[in-house]
Amino acid sequence: MSEETIRSVFPELEAIEDDELRAGVVDAWTTAVAEHDVDDITAVPWFPPSQRELGLDDEYLVDHVRDVTACAITVAETLLERRSADVSLDTVIAGALVHDVSKLAEFDGMDETAISGLLGHPHYGVYSVARADLPVELVHIVLSHTSRTTVEPATLEAEIVRRADEIAAAAIRSRATDDLRTV
């Protein structure tokens, strides 16, 4: 899958002002796609275990990543405007875009892979982001965006991506229930 395909699937890349950062995010995705023989990134499921449990076969990773990115951008822009927060919008956007790159290694369609079973989420993503020579701040976002690790967000950017991910996932789960406490 080409860089151009990744850029078209994730138009939010263009909002990253730093050319090297943008190129690193593209590299992380194109390398992960190539390593895991993904033919159509738009057909990769969001999170198969939850999808099976909730009967939500029509949720996709690209849509989730884009939702997380949109939510994260809105929160970051709000904090920049209203609180003059010391937050890097480029880091938030790049972090949101790569936060779930590991799912390409964790699942083959709806089936878990050995990487999922032995490493779990999001450890392969940490490797992918570091291999793409992205800054340690992005590696930290990937590692701390989920409660599946013991690493808590240490930066405002990481906290924003984590909360955006939680909200976007809750929106998906809300399709299966009227009460999010039940799923």
Side-chain angles (χ1 to χ4, degrees):
M1 188 165 301
S2 71
E3 288 184 17
E4 195 55 43
T5 300
I6 296 300
R7 290 177 188 277
S8 70
V9 168
F10 297 118
E12 297 82 2
L13 282 159
E14 295 311 311
I16 299 173
E17 292 182 8
D18 184 305
D19 294 337
E20 287 183 34
L21 189 60
R22 185 180 330 104
V25 171
V26 171
D27 181 54
W29 277 104
T30 56
T31 301
V33 163
E35 285 182 349
H36 302 289
D37 298 322
V38 175
D39 294 326
D40 181 2
I41 193 170
T42 63
V44 174
W46 159 61
F47 185 54
S50 288
Q51 289 179 254
R52 277 191 295 277
E53 179 183 331
L54 300 173
L56 298 173
D57 294 336
D58 60 343
E59 290 292 343
Y60 300 98
L61 180 61
V62 167
D63 296 328
H64 171 70
V65 169
R66 294 192 65 209
D67 289 348
V68 170
T69 305
C71 288
I73 289 170
T74 299
V75 170
E77 287 177 338
T78 299
L79 295 176
L80 283 165
E81 178 185 322
R82 296 182 47 85
R83 308 287 275 152
S84 299
D86 184 18
V87 62
S88 165
L89 193 54
D90 269 5
T91 299
V92 168
I93 297 167
L97 286 170
V98 296
H99 85 280
D100 270 351
V101 69
S102 65
K103 287 185 180 173
L104 297 182
E106 295 169 26
F107 301 98
D108 182 6
M110 291 294 280
D111 299 321
E112 289 187 19
T113 66
I115 289 172
S116 178
L118 296 173
L119 296 181
H121 188 63
H123 297 93
Y124 189 85
V126 169
Y127 164 74
S128 297
V129 169
R131 183 188 52 214
D133 278 335
L134 287 164
V136 69
E137 292 82 4
L138 292 186
V139 176
H140 175 70
I141 288 172
V142 171
L143 190 58
S144 68
H145 88 273
T146 176
S147 61
R148 290 186 176 97
T149 73
T150 59
V151 176
E152 293 294 321
T155 65
L156 188 52
E157 293 87 355
E159 185 71 27
I160 289 168
V161 172
R162 183 175 185 152
R163 299 303 172 185
D165 182 46
E166 290 170 349
I167 292 165
I172 292 171
R173 290 191 319 273
S174 73
R175 291 184 50 217
T177 184
D178 290 333
D179 185 346
L180 285 172
R181 296 173 296 180
T182 65
V183 294

